[in-house]
């Protein structure tokens, strides 16, 4: 009986020691704020990441970069921010002064984590059938001057709208005058602009190449860097995160060959 009790106690001690030696993995939820133009690709990558880190749940929040920036500034829970332009990231980055875009002196970027993740292209596209027979940005400029086209573009606080404003300036077009003449219609993010074109509510629109691909729309022309600059998507961990290690790991995964192949499948390219 004593031998049996000794055996049971020894076995219980062994199990207890084994349990102590096992490293428990804590389930973590990461909130990723990403530009609306990344919706389709990020959804795919999040699915892939389930196999890479099964204990990490990625919760995406897609919207215009300006809206996401404001949400972060107002205290919304966010672990990683991916903007469709440097402007919105600069506004949150304490490493930038007023001259560098951080006019309010905000401090939300975890220093040392910011990377230029992706590059996109700004494109002109038309609805099915291309009723205005558009073939180039130059032709669009002429039609806008004559008032014979309705162009869908992003609002001024949306990166794709800001790139469009640069294109209008390149062709010496005054946005306020065009808006007053009724040849412009606006969307609060790139998805709204895409919808206006795909549903024929506008004669044409200016969106990213990736959104045109995802919507199955034909690109009429592509803007050069001279017209609107490079379209860079910066990404960074937000310094209010409670899961710095996991956030850094996911940001690193977004730069991996596996994730980048998903981005490239719709027209993104690695920034560099």
């Amino acid at each position: 009986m004593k031998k049996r009790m000794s055996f049971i106690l020894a076995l219980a001690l062994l199990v207890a020691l084994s349990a102590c030696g096992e490293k428990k993995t804590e389930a973590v939820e990461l909130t990723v704020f990403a530009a609306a133009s990344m919706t389709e690709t990020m959804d795919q990558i999040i699915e892939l990441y389930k196999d890479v880190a099964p204990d990490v749940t990625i919760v995406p929040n897609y919207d215009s970069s300006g809206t996401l920036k404001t949400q972060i500034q107002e205290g919304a829970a966010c672990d990683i921010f991916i903007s469709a332009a440097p402007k919105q990231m600069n506004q949150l980055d304490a490493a930038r002064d007023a001259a560098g875009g951080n006019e309010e002196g905000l401090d939300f970027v975890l220093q040392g984590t910011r990377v230029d993740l992706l590059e996109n292209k700004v494109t002109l596209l038309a609805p099915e059938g291309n009723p205005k027979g558009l073939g180039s940005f130059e032709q669009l400029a002429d039609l806008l001057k004559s008032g014979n086209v309705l162009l869908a573009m992003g609002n001024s606080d949306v990166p794709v709208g800001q790139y469009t404003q640069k294109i209008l300036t390149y062709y010496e077009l005054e946005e306020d005058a065009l808006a007053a003449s009724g040849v412009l219609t606006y969307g609060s993010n790139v998805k709204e602009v895409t919808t206006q074109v795909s549903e024929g509510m506008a004669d044409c629109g200016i969106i990213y190449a990736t959104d045109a691909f995802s919507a199955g729309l034909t690109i009429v022309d592509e803007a050069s860097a001279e017209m609107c600059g490079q379209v860079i998507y910066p990404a960074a961990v937000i310094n209010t995160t409670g899961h710095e290690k996991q956030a850094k790991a996911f940001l690193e995964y977004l730069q991996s060959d596996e994730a980048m192949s998903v981005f490239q499948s719709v027209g993104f390219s690695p920034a560099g």
Side-chain angles (χ1 to χ4, degrees):
M1 183 69 177
K2 286 183 180 179
K3 286 184 178 180
R4 185 181 176 190
M5 285 299 297
S6 297
F7 174 75
I8 292 173
L9 288 171
L11 183 61
L13 180 61
L14 181 63
V15 170
L17 289 172
S18 298
C20 290
E22 288 178 4
K23 205 170 185 179
K24 290 186 179 180
T25 306
E26 182 187 353
V28 168
E29 184 175 282
L30 294 179
T31 302
V32 177
F33 282 24
S37 50
M38 300 179 69
T39 303
E40 292 81 10
T41 49
M42 281 296 294
D43 282 348
Q44 292 182 55
I45 289 168
I46 288 169
E47 283 300 310
L48 292 174
Y49 199 63
K50 290 178 180 179
D51 292 329
V52 177
D55 295 302
V56 177
T57 300
I58 307 296
V59 179
N61 176 28
Y62 304 116
D63 212 318
S64 73
S65 299
T67 297
L68 297 175
K69 174 260 175 183
T70 299
Q71 290 175 356
I72 292 170
Q73 182 180 350
E74 292 178 348
C78 174
D79 298 288
I80 296 172
F81 177 40
I82 312 173
S83 172
K87 179 179 179 179
Q88 287 73 24
M89 187 69 75
N90 292 345
Q91 291 172 333
L92 298 173
D93 191 350
R96 305 286 179 129
D97 56 17
N102 190 356
E103 300 90 349
E104 300 171 81
L106 299 175
D107 182 9
F108 286 92
V109 171
L110 182 62
Q111 296 305 312
T113 66
R114 179 172 174 172
V115 295
D116 286 342
L117 182 64
L118 301 167
E119 182 173 357
N120 209 338
K121 298 294 182 184
V122 175
T123 60
L124 172 65
L125 71 160
E128 186 177 354
N130 193 359
K132 291 292 181 179
L134 280 167
S136 67
F137 275 107
E138 187 172 356
Q139 184 185 1
L140 170 64
D142 291 336
L143 288 172
L144 286 170
K145 289 175 184 176
S146 64
N148 291 319
V149 72
L150 179 61
L151 168 68
M153 63 177 283
N155 292 338
S156 60
D157 65 335
V158 180
V160 75
Q162 293 157 6
Y163 290 122
T164 303
Q165 289 175 324
K166 291 179 181 179
I167 293 171
L168 295 178
T169 300
Y170 178 82
Y171 285 105
E172 300 181 346
L173 296 168
E174 187 67 46
E175 182 187 353
D176 289 343
L178 293 174
S181 67
V183 297
L184 299 180
T185 179
Y186 292 89
S188 63
N189 59 48
V190 71
K191 295 301 182 187
E192 285 190 10
V193 178
T194 304
T195 297
Q196 289 183 43
V197 179
S198 62
E199 294 184 359
M201 299 160 62
D203 298 317
C204 58
I206 296 178
I207 64 171
Y208 300 119
T210 53
D211 290 284
F213 179 91
S214 297
L217 295 167
T218 302
I219 293 173
V220 171
D221 197 7
E222 185 177 287
S224 65
E226 181 184 6
M227 293 165 64
C228 65
Q230 279 186 287
V231 184
I232 300 297
Y233 285 52
V237 176
I238 296 304
N239 59 20
T240 54
T241 179
H243 308 289
E244 182 178 329
K245 180 181 177 181
Q246 292 87 349
K248 285 180 175 178
F250 183 63
L251 183 53
E252 185 175 342
Y253 176 74
L254 292 177
Q255 301 167 70
S256 70
D257 290 342
E258 184 174 52
M260 201 55 67
S261 66
V262 176
F263 287 130
Q264 291 176 307
S265 70
V266 300
F268 281 114
S269 59

